[in-house]
Amino acid sequence: MRALITGITGQDGSYLAEFLLKKGYEVFGMVRRSSTESFERISHIRDKLGLLQADLLDQLSIIGIVEEVKPDEIYNLAAQSFVPTSWNQPVLTGEFDALGVTKILEAIRLLNKNIRFYQASSSEMFGKVREVPQTENTPFYPRSPYGVAKVYGHFITINYRESYNIHAGSGILFNHESPRRGLEFVTRKITDGVARIKLGLTDKLSLGNLEAERDWGFAGDYIKAMWLMLQQEEPDTFVIATGKSHSVKEFVQTAFGYVNLDFHDYVVVDPRFVRPAEVDRLLGDASRAKKEMGWQPEVDFDGLVRMMVDADLERLREKKK
C-alpha cells in the first residue's frame, strides 16, 4: 500500500507517517518548497519516507505529485491550522483549508477515482454549539475564518463522495495534542511555560480566556482513527473525541500541579490572546467511531498533560546543558 500525506511535517502527519510505516506502507509526504527546511518532527524516520514538493495553492503541482506517487490512500492534513492566525489571514486560510481540499479531490477525480481520501475536518466547525455533546449530525456554526474554511472543506469532501463515487471520508477531530504540538497552541504554550518556570527560565505565563472548554485527546490515538476510516467499506464522516471536556484553567492547574507549583503565582490573563469570537465549549460524542470502527482513545487527560510537561522539561534541560 502506498500513502500520500499532505502536512507530513506537522504533529498529525508525523504520527500518521510512523503508524503507516509500522503497517508496512510505502509513505510519501507532500512538502512545500522552502529555503529553510523544517523536518524536526519526522527527522527520525526521514530516510524511510519519500518527500516531494507541491503546494495546496497550486493545482498542477498536486496533480503532478498524485500522478508520480500513484497512492492508494491520500491523507489531507495540510492546513493553515492556527485559529487566531485565521483572523489576520482569512483569505489565505480559505485558500489552504477550503480550496486546497477541492484541488486534491479534483486530482483524484481526474487521475484515479479509486484513491481513498481522508479529509481532516475540525471540531471548530461546531463553533457556537447547537447542542452538547456534538455528534456527526450536529449543525455547524463556525466562529472563525478557520472554522468557516473547514466547513467548506468538509462539505466539498461529501460532495465529491456523492457526485463521483470517491471513497472520501471526513474525520471531525476534536482538539488533539502531544509533545509535537506547535508552541503557538495554548496547550503547548502552557506545558512549555510550566517547564520554563520550573527550571527558572521565566516567571510568568500570559494566556487568554481561561474559561474556554475543550475535549482534549492525544494525537497519537487520533491518527489511528484516520486510518480506520479509510479501511471502511463505505466512506463516511466520524466524530473523534474523548467525550470529556476540560477548561483551559483545568489544563493550567493540572500542568502546574504536576510540578508542584500553584498556577495563581505565575499566570497572567492578557486581553491580546482573547479571540474576537470565542468558542466556549466543545464536547464530542465518538460513539459511532467506537461502535463501527472499534476506535478507542487510550491516553486520558491527566496522562496527556503529564506527557507534554515531561517532554518540555526534558527538551529544555537538554538545551541548558
Side-chain angles (χ1 to χ4, degrees):
M1 294 286 285
R2 293 161 78 87
L4 172 62
I5 303 171
T6 74
I8 196 168
T9 60
Q11 170 188 256
D12 292 7
S14 64
Y15 280 113
L16 180 62
E18 283 175 349
F19 179 82
L20 294 177
L21 285 170
K22 284 176 186 167
K23 291 270 179 201
Y25 278 64
E26 278 186 84
V27 180
F28 297 84
M30 185 180 104
V31 294
R32 299 177 74 199
R33 194 214 158 269
S34 172
S35 54
T36 55
E37 294 182 337
S38 176
F39 298 147
E40 186 184 343
R41 294 184 182 97
I42 56 169
S43 57
H44 60 298
I45 52 171
R46 191 175 169 184
D47 60 336
K48 298 173 184 169
L49 305 170
L51 300 180
L52 298 107
Q53 288 184 359
D55 197 306
L56 284 183
L57 301 184
D58 180 15
Q59 178 75 76
L60 283 177
S61 72
I62 294 170
I63 290 171
I65 197 173
V66 174
E67 211 165 22
E68 185 174 346
V69 172
K70 295 181 171 53
D72 299 290
E73 300 171 354
I74 296 177
Y75 295 86
N76 182 35
L77 310 184
Q80 190 300 96
S81 60
F82 190 46
V83 176
T85 296
S86 73
W87 275 284
N88 298 327
Q89 300 181 3
V91 176
L92 186 71
T93 300
E95 292 277 2
F96 277 123
D97 300 4
L99 294 179
V101 185
T102 316
K103 287 169 186 165
I104 299 174
L105 287 163
E106 269 295 276
I108 292 171
R109 182 184 72 82
L110 291 168
L111 297 171
N112 179 6
K113 290 182 192 170
N114 292 320
I115 295 171
R116 297 192 169 201
F117 175 75
Y118 171 81
Q119 167 58 13
S121 289
S122 166
S123 58
E124 286 285 333
M125 301 189 304
F126 294 121
K128 193 173 182 179
V129 299
R130 307 286 86 187
E131 63 182 4
V132 178
Q134 294 89 54
T135 72
E136 291 82 1
N137 298 317
T138 302
F140 300 133
Y141 193 141
R143 296 269 280 170
S144 65
Y146 170 82
V148 173
K150 279 291 186 180
V151 170
Y152 176 101
H154 177 76
F155 277 120
I156 201 69
T157 300
I158 293 171
N159 186 258
Y160 270 67
R161 175 164 84 215
E162 295 176 352
S163 303
Y164 304 113
N165 198 29
I166 292 169
H167 194 296
S170 194
I172 305 178
L173 271 57
F174 279 65
N175 295 63
H176 45 291
E177 318 298 319
S178 77
R180 298 180 193 175
R181 190 56 137 158
L183 285 164
E184 70 273 25
F185 289 87
V186 68
T187 51
R188 186 71 196 292
K189 187 177 179 183
I190 292 166
T191 59
D192 175 71
V194 166
R196 287 178 184 279
I197 289 166
K198 184 65 179 176
L199 297 174
L201 300 172
T202 187
D203 60 357
K204 285 283 175 265
L205 174 59
S206 297
L207 297 169
N209 179 14
L210 299 183
E211 304 310 317
E213 294 182 26
R214 296 292 183 270
D215 184 329
W216 277 302
F218 172 50
D221 289 339
Y222 283 39
I223 55 94
K224 294 174 191 170
M226 300 176 185
W227 176 76
L228 283 168
M229 277 182 225
L230 295 200
Q231 312 318 307
Q232 302 306 297
E233 199 168 318
E234 296 297 326
D236 210 339
T237 296
F238 288 94
V239 162
I240 304 300
T242 69
K244 293 177 182 174
S245 192
H246 299 272
S247 67
V248 175
K249 186 183 283 183
E250 282 178 79
F251 198 108
V252 168
Q253 203 164 5
T254 305
F256 275 96
Y258 180 52
V259 295
N260 300 312
L261 295 174
D262 184 342
F263 78 92
H264 294 99
D265 298 333
Y266 306 100
V267 172
V268 178
V269 174
D270 189 331
R272 288 178 305 154
F273 300 125
V274 176
R275 295 180 180 187
E278 184 57 89
V279 173
D280 297 313
R281 188 183 186 209
L282 294 175
L283 176 64
D285 178 358
S287 331
R288 274 196 63 221
K290 291 173 181 176
K291 184 182 173 185
E292 296 181 24
M293 302 193 300
W295 177 80
Q296 283 286 351
E298 292 172 23
V299 178
D300 66 8
F301 177 73
D302 286 354
L304 173 66
V305 177
R306 290 194 298 266
M307 176 201 302
M308 292 177 68
V309 172
D310 281 338
D312 278 322
L313 281 167
E314 188 181 340
R315 176 179 59 87
L316 291 167
R317 282 184 185 123
E318 283 297 315
K319 263 188 173 181
K320 278 179 79 176
K321 283 182 182 176

